[in-house]
């Protein structure tokens, strides 16, 4: 299976990804970043983080067992842990361990 | 902060990414190896593509006999969100010096969320965060390629660490800001598009909808937060 076609495909995937990563910087390189773009730079992080959380949970199916319960419970746990302790490592650890226990032994 | 403190700080910040990347990377390396691509392939993909979800999709493309054009289009759709990461980083990476190209190249979901949550504007720290994450990923992919099918301990669910990281950053951002409209727009837009377009195609519409809402509600997204100009 690994042949020239595969190698070319990987080059293409890498190239497109690099293009997407560099494009914003190239487009706005020599000009002052327009106010609207600066505005997006301020608000996008919040919106994208929301998008990423949903993206991570995109596979859950609330209609069939286990109804996304392990994921949602673990997320809730992470959120509460973080609200209480404000310690990133702790929040992630407790959520992940709980999730692993849930998917391996309970559900 | 001297460089030693920076290295320590970058390492501590990136530990959650370390666990997620090593595990996902190993998973990727193992699956790729099972399809007949040896460790050199997983190493190269980890090093040059450096995009987790896209690399997993790439396995399907490589083994499914997809055309190069199909691969290009799929990459555009799966990785389009990197366009938006870049836009948020233009000002943050402005005077990043020699490492700027590398930092742009290595901008992933996790690196993005760590840099965005770091207030200090310390470019060297951003660079180290980017570098460490890249190293973890390449190490994971390579390990996976080497280990192949010999891995037996039950790590089922460990990649939840990445979800947990995003939730943590989301909560942290929420606590640190008064105006939550942007965050809400992000979640709601994505859920809407997920329901309409399904889990395979919802990302690009989500980003378009997010941009639309952020534009339309511009007046309401920044009021209340005094540190936004």
């Amino acid at each position: 299976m690994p042949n020239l076609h595969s190698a070319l495909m990987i080059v293409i995937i890498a190239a497109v990804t690099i293009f997407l990563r560099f494009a914003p910087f190239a487009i706005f390189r020599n000009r002052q970043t327009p106010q609207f773009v600066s505005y997006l730079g301020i608000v996008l992080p919040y919106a994208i983080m929301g998008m990423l959380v949903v993206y991570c949970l995109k596979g859950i199916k609330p209609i069939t067992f286990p109804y996304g319960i392990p994921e949602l419970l673990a997320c809730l746990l992470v959120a509460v842990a973080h609200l209480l302790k404000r310690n990133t490592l702790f929040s992630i650890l407790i959520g992940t361990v709980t999730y692993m226990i849930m998917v391996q032994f309970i559900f | 902060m001297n460089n030693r403190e920076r290295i320590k700080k970058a390492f501590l910040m990136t530990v959650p990414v370390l666990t997620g990347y090593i595990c996902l990377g190993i998973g990727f390396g193992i699956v790729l190896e099972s399809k007949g691509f040896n460790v050199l392939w997983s190493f190269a993909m980890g090093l040059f593509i450096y995009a987790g979800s896209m690399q997993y999709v790439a396995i399907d493309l490589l083994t499914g006999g997809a055309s190069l054009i199909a691969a290009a289009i799929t990459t555009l759709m799966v990785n389009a969100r990197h366009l938006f990461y870049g836009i948020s980083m233009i000002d943050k990476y402005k005077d990043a010096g020699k490492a700027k190209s590398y930092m742009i190249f290595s901008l992933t979901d996790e690196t993005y969320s760590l840099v965005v949550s770091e207030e200090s504007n310390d470019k060297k720290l951003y660079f180290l965060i980017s570098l460490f994450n890249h190293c973890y990923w390449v190490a994971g992919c390579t390990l996976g390629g080497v280990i192949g099918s010999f891995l037996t301990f039950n790590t089922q669910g460990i990649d939840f660490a990445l979800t947990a990281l995003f939730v943590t950053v989301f909560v942290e951002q929420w606590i640190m800001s008064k105006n939550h409209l942007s965050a809400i727009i992000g979640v709601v837009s994505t859920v809407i598009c997920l329901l309409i377009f399904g889990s395979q195609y919802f990302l690009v519409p989500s980003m378009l909808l997010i941009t639309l809402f952020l534009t339309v509600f511009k007046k309401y997204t920044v009021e209340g937060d005094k540190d936004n100009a």
Side-chain angles (χ1 to χ4, degrees):
Chain A
M1 194 93 62
N3 51 26
L4 181 64
H5 186 259
S6 318
L8 280 175
M9 184 174 289
I10 291 175
V11 169
I12 291 204
I13 293 175
V16 173
T17 306
I18 288 173
F19 163 75
L20 288 167
R21 283 177 169 144
F22 277 87
F25 296 90
I27 295 172
F28 298 109
R29 190 166 45 116
N30 291 316
R31 316 166 214 172
Q32 168 100 27
T33 15
Q35 210 200 23
F36 180 66
V37 177
S38 281
Y39 159 71
L40 281 183
I42 294 173
V43 289
L44 266 182
Y46 299 99
I48 291 193
M49 203 49 59
M51 182 188 88
L52 283 177
V53 170
V54 176
Y55 172 75
C56 281
L57 299 170
K58 66 175 159 57
I60 64 177
K61 294 171 168 53
I63 353 175
T64 51
F65 184 82
Y67 313 108
I69 292 178
E71 287 81 4
L72 295 175
L73 259 183
C75 282
L76 196 63
L77 186 59
V78 172
V80 168
H82 199 69
L83 280 167
L84 292 176
K85 295 206 123 198
R86 298 289 290 282
N87 183 323
T88 306
L89 216 49
F90 173 72
S91 310
I92 293 173
L93 206 64
I94 198 170
T96 306
V97 169
T98 310
Y99 180 76
M100 286 175 73
I101 293 175
M102 276 194 277
V103 292
Q104 287 186 21
F105 301 113
I106 305 180
F107 291 91
Chain B
M1 187 185 284
N2 65 37
N3 282 338
R4 203 138 174 253
E5 287 167 351
R6 263 196 200 93
I7 291 176
K8 188 172 172 190
K9 182 170 183 189
F11 178 71
L12 287 174
M13 284 179 78
T14 56
V15 168
V17 182
L18 168 67
T19 45
Y21 273 16
I22 293 277
C23 293
L24 275 186
I26 287 178
F28 167 77
I30 289 175
V31 177
L32 188 66
E33 199 270 342
S34 73
K35 308 285 184 188
F37 293 81
N38 66 35
V39 61
L40 288 173
W41 290 84
S42 46
F43 171 76
M45 287 174 80
L47 185 65
F48 295 115
I49 299 178
Y50 187 30
S53 27
M54 191 58 225
Q55 282 178 232
Y56 275 87
V57 172
I59 301 180
D60 285 334
L61 293 171
L62 284 166
T63 54
S67 69
L68 296 178
I69 306 239
I73 295 178
T74 308
T75 310
L76 262 176
M77 298 205 45
V78 172
N79 281 347
R81 65 184 180 282
H82 291 287
L83 255 178
F84 288 76
Y85 292 159
I87 292 179
S88 338
M89 293 308 209
I90 288 178
D91 289 328
K92 257 200 175 193
Y93 281 179
K94 203 140 211 167
D95 301 306
K98 284 177 264 176
K100 189 173 170 186
S101 289
Y102 174 73
M103 286 160 67
I104 297 173
F105 162 76
S106 56
L107 198 53
T108 61
D109 302 336
E110 293 72 23
T111 301
Y112 174 81
S113 61
L114 283 177
V115 172
V116 144
S117 67
E118 173 57 36
E119 300 272 308
S120 68
N121 209 30
D122 185 342
K123 314 282 195 244
K124 283 188 188 172
L125 184 63
Y126 295 161
F127 167 71
L128 286 174
I129 292 172
S130 307
L131 181 66
F132 285 3
N133 287 348
H134 195 189
C135 289
Y136 304 151
W137 180 250
V138 175
C141 292
T142 311
L143 266 171
V146 167
I147 290 171
S149 49
F150 296 119
L151 198 70
T152 52
F153 67 90
N154 194 351
T155 53
Q156 187 192 2
I158 202 169
D159 40 296
F160 186 79
L162 291 180
T163 310
L165 172 63
F166 291 153
V167 171
T168 305
V169 176
F170 183 84
V171 169
E172 184 65 30
Q173 285 180 339
W174 190 278
I175 296 172
M176 297 293 279
S177 58
K178 278 218 189 103
N179 188 312
H180 304 304
L181 187 55
S182 315
I184 294 172
I185 285 176
V187 174
V188 171
S189 310
T190 313
V191 171
I192 292 175
C193 291
L194 178 60
L195 292 170
I196 298 178
F197 297 94
S199 61
Q200 227 190 339
Y201 301 109
F202 73 111
L203 267 186
V204 172
S206 301
M207 284 180 284
L208 294 173
L209 194 57
I210 285 173
T211 312
L212 179 66
F213 282 153
L214 287 176
T215 311
V216 165
F217 296 114
K218 184 165 184 249
K219 217 170 65 132
Y220 306 101
T221 54
V222 287
E223 68 183 16
D225 277 325
K226 292 186 185 68
D227 48 311
N228 289 327

